[in-house]
Amino acid sequence: MPEIVPGRPEALKGSAAAAVLLMLFNEDEAAQILSRLEPDEVRQLGYAMYDVQDVDPEEVNEALDHFVTKAKKRTTIGYGATRHIRGAMTKALGEERAETILARITPPTRSTQLEMLKWMDAKEIAVLIEAEHPQIMAIVLAHLEAPVAADVLQLLPSEYQEEIVYRIATLGPVSNEALEDLEQLLLRGPMSKQGAASQRGGTIEAAAIMNNVRKDNEQRIMKAVAKRDKMIAQTIEEEMFVFDNLIDMDDKNLGTLMRTVDSQVLVVALKGVNDMLKGKIFSCMSARAAQAIADEIEERGPIRLAEVIDAQKLIIATARRMADAGTIMLGGKGNDFV
């Protein structure tokens, strides 16, 4: 640990250190850096820049030393990263889930004006698209983060909400031409003709948005989607609450659920689960029961992934039935419960 000297200020870290470095650049250089950051990062840095206006020379030197040390540790790990990341994601999550995640995190191959949506609030976006076709609305929402998309959805006319969710859930690759038309509609700017089709949307995307919608709106929208296409509605609902979401339940409700689950099913379901979720589940059981489950998991050895998934689905189905009966509550969405 670094030596703490009385009267000496602590070393600047995180956004404070970054703010000091940014203040050392001229306006043009600082602008180039800020233009590559996300909106939340720009806001955080902006606050920090005001807070570090009166730092002393020693703190500036420490921030620079920290930056130089980190810079020296940079490696060539980035070479061939795209292929490696895609392969790892596909093996870990399956092709459909991997594509959904990669669509969000892969750096764009062309500059897209749709990125400007990140800088707008939900009300501004809703006003821009409220008079457009539901397909346009769906494409826009599919390009937003789920919490923002949920806010926009609830600001749009209620008679369109079910239609929008359905179109998001069934959205295929969006052609480059369609994206260009959308960009012109939103931002009235000239667009590039380069680039490939964009893959956004799908039932996972729709579920993420619905997970952030108020409970009363969620029930109304999902009921309407089910009338239109029961299979799509069922798939969205399955994606809305998955086994990993058990970690969001409080101890009382999770304990009630675990007492109804067959121990052999739980042994299979917990195989390969991360330690945090496993620890959460064990904490809701008696020490003796938790140890017995842990020992059996170890003794069972490798279990087929398909068996693990089936066991997890069985537990989630039980949780949904108990929630519908009012026996337990599945936490989420702030003060709303299901």
Side-chain angles (χ1 to χ4, degrees):
M1 291 180 61
E3 180 184 2
I4 299 177
V5 180
R8 177 182 173 182
E10 291 187 20
L12 295 172
K13 298 178 181 178
S15 58
V20 168
L21 291 172
L22 206 59
M23 295 284 278
L24 297 177
F25 292 111
N26 63 40
E27 289 184 8
D28 290 339
E29 292 168 334
Q32 289 183 34
I33 295 172
L34 288 171
S35 68
R36 289 170 168 78
L37 302 178
E38 293 295 316
D40 288 343
E41 294 171 331
V42 173
R43 284 190 284 270
Q44 187 175 353
L45 263 180
Y47 288 130
M49 289 168 73
Y50 277 105
D51 290 338
V52 300
Q53 292 181 89
D54 299 323
V55 294
D56 59 41
E58 186 177 359
E59 290 177 299
V60 174
N61 288 333
E62 288 176 346
L64 287 169
D65 289 343
H66 179 67
F67 172 76
V68 171
T69 300
K70 294 198 73 172
K72 287 180 178 178
K73 293 179 180 178
R74 291 292 297 271
T75 70
T76 57
I77 195 170
Y79 291 117
T82 299
R83 184 174 62 257
H84 179 79
I85 293 170
R86 178 173 291 277
M89 286 280 191
T90 301
K91 289 181 179 179
L93 306 174
E95 187 171 348
E96 183 181 355
R97 285 182 177 274
E99 286 299 327
T100 299
I101 295 298
L102 288 167
R104 282 202 174 279
I105 67 174
T106 302
T109 56
R110 68 180 180 99
S111 176
T112 171
Q113 297 279 3
L114 283 173
E115 291 298 308
M116 290 298 295
L117 289 168
K118 294 181 180 179
W119 299 86
M120 302 169 66
D121 63 31
K123 289 183 179 179
E124 292 175 316
I125 298 171
V127 168
L128 278 173
I129 65 175
E130 64 182 353
E132 301 303 325
H133 190 279
Q135 183 72 4
I136 296 294
M137 298 179 184
I139 295 172
V140 170
L141 266 62
H143 280 80
L144 298 173
E145 293 297 325
V148 179
D151 289 341
V152 175
L153 177 67
Q154 294 172 99
L155 290 169
L156 293 172
S158 59
E159 61 267 26
Y160 292 143
Q161 292 174 358
E162 166 265 324
E163 176 81 10
I164 294 167
V165 172
Y166 178 80
R167 286 177 180 271
I168 291 171
T170 56
L171 192 64
V174 181
S175 71
N176 194 59
E177 291 76 13
L179 286 178
E180 289 170 352
D181 289 343
L182 178 56
E183 288 173 335
Q184 291 177 10
L185 168 70
L186 295 176
L187 302 167
R188 310 289 187 245
M191 298 297 124
S192 168
K193 295 289 184 183
Q194 300 176 0
S198 172
Q199 172 67 62
R200 301 302 290 264
T203 53
I204 296 174
E205 191 92 20
I209 293 172
M210 293 307 299
N211 272 331
N212 288 275
V213 169
R214 290 199 316 270
K215 184 61 185 174
D216 56 340
N217 287 334
E218 176 211 313
Q219 292 176 333
R220 174 178 55 78
I221 294 170
M222 289 307 302
K223 185 176 181 180
V225 173
K227 284 184 178 179
R228 178 178 185 140
D229 191 319
K230 185 176 291 187
M231 186 64 69
I232 288 291
Q234 182 179 340
T235 305
I236 293 174
E237 287 178 343
E238 287 176 354
E239 295 289 354
M240 285 174 66
F241 192 84
V242 295
F243 195 75
D244 287 348
N245 294 136
L246 292 178
I247 200 167
D248 297 323
M249 293 179 64
D250 63 41
D251 292 347
K252 179 181 178 181
N253 286 292
L254 184 57
T256 301
L257 172 62
M258 288 300 108
R259 286 192 289 274
T260 68
V261 175
D262 183 272
S263 62
Q264 293 304 309
V265 173
L266 187 58
V267 167
V268 177
L270 290 179
K271 189 67 176 180
V273 166
N274 68 72
D275 291 339
M276 187 176 295
L277 176 55
K278 197 179 296 181
K280 169 85 171 181
I281 291 174
F282 285 164
S283 70
C284 297
M285 305 167 63
S286 69
R288 181 177 179 180
Q291 188 60 54
I293 295 292
D295 290 343
E296 191 161 353
I297 291 173
E298 192 68 28
E299 293 171 2
R300 281 289 297 268
I303 300 177
R304 291 179 57 195
L305 180 59
E307 294 181 42
V308 174
I309 293 174
D310 286 343
Q312 292 179 352
K313 285 183 176 180
L314 185 60
I315 294 174
I316 291 304
T318 301
R320 286 204 188 92
R321 284 197 301 271
M322 294 177 70
D324 290 341
T327 309
I328 63 173
M329 291 186 293
L330 308 178
K333 308 177 190 175
N335 293 324
D336 291 335
F337 297 90
V338 294

